[in-house]
Amino acid sequence: PRPALTREGGKMAAPSSAALPGAEPGAAPYGNFPNYSRFHPPEARVSLLPGGLLRRLFPAAARPLLGLDVGCNSGELSVALYRHLLGLQDKSSLDQPAAGKDLHLLCCDIDAALIERARQSSPFPASISFANLDIMDSASREPFLSSFLGRFGRSTFDIGFCMSVTMWIHLHHGDSGLREFLAFLSSLCEYLLIEPQPWKCYRAAARRLRKLGRNDFDHFRSLAINGDMAERITQILTKDCAMELVCCFGSTSWDRSLLLFKSNGSNQEGREPSGS
């Protein structure tokens, strides 16, 4: 039998991908597909990012850079981003980063089974941490993220990654949830790299759920934020979250834009200068 959505502590919890048949992608209503990287290879995303990006964004930072990857699935894209950003294109190489920057990456996902897979397969356990975390649960995220940042004497991340996650936040938490999610990330990250799913993906996700005989996503029919999602998310971040669009790195072959935003500083308190 297919797993049902469960509730823990009054909050909706994702069914573990460990119980999901790999042949039924519709059985992952939180986007926690167990074989996601087979359909959207990490290389197709990171190849859009220019080499030496961290040096350009943080030319004078003498301290370790901190990154946050939200909705990391089983970690393949997280590791690919780490390799690409630090110039470790040779997968057999475990040498020191060629980019001259030290990056500590915290990767989180709502699915505990995917996180366990990521931990077991990570080639950089000292630099990439994987955590089972519902980023929309403020009661658990605040102390956890504060504890991680506190290890480095920091209160914010240098760069955040949100790769094909916004739709799942939007479908499960509605327009207000998407706005809150983007406001939270923008307050926590100096730079933010986002790959929003286009609106056609929302319709496809709803169709998959209906084919499995389940109820529609709670908020799908009532979403007022719709249409060109890359443009809508850009509007929210630039108008409401004190961020500016730095660059669009192009689109993947499956029609998803890679957008880089930068905080203008007014939405973050207590930030230490990055030298950028």
Side-chain angles (χ1 to χ4, degrees), residues 231-260:
E231 176 61 28
R232 298 303 299 272
I233 285 173
T234 296
Q235 290 175 353
I236 294 170
L237 286 171
T238 55
K239 294 181 179 179
D240 302 333
C241 301
M243 298 201 94
E244 59 185 271
L245 178 62
V246 175
C247 182
C248 176
F249 292 117
S251 299
T252 63
S253 59
W254 54 95
D255 192 30
R256 297 188 193 177
S257 302
L258 273 182
L259 307 172
L260 180 67

Side-chain angles (χ1 to χ4, degrees), residues 129-252:
S129 303
F130 291 99
N132 179 210
L133 180 69
D134 180 355
I135 199 68
M136 295 301 287
D137 182 354
S138 59
S140 60
R141 81 185 178 202
E142 304 291 351
F144 182 83
L145 295 175
S146 294
S147 174
F148 179 86
L149 289 165
R151 288 163 42 194
F152 301 91
R154 302 283 303 285
S155 59
T156 55
F157 290 89
D158 294 291
I159 187 166
F161 303 96
C162 182
M163 311 295 281
S164 289
V165 172
T166 49
M167 177 183 75
W168 304 109
I169 299 292
H170 202 186
L171 286 171
H172 287 286
H173 299 274
D175 288 338
S176 61
L178 178 64
R179 290 181 180 278
E180 189 270 332
F181 173 67
L182 294 173
F184 173 70
L185 285 186
S186 66
S187 71
L188 199 63
C189 304
E190 181 175 0
Y191 286 91
L192 189 56
L193 185 68
I194 295 190
E195 181 190 63
Q197 290 104 320
W199 187 251
K200 65 182 180 181
C201 292
Y202 285 65
R203 295 195 297 265
R207 281 197 303 271
R208 287 197 301 266
L209 211 58
R210 289 194 295 270
K211 283 183 179 179
L212 291 173
R214 301 185 186 184
N215 294 329
D216 220 337
F217 291 100
D218 291 344
H219 298 276
F220 178 59
R221 302 290 178 184
S222 62
L223 296 178
I225 300 174
N226 53 43
D228 186 339
M229 291 309 299
E231 176 61 28
R232 298 303 299 272
I233 285 173
T234 296
Q235 290 175 353
I236 294 170
L237 286 171
T238 55
K239 294 181 179 179
D240 302 333
C241 301
M243 298 201 94
E244 59 185 271
L245 178 62
V246 175
C247 182
C248 176
F249 292 117
S251 299
T252 63

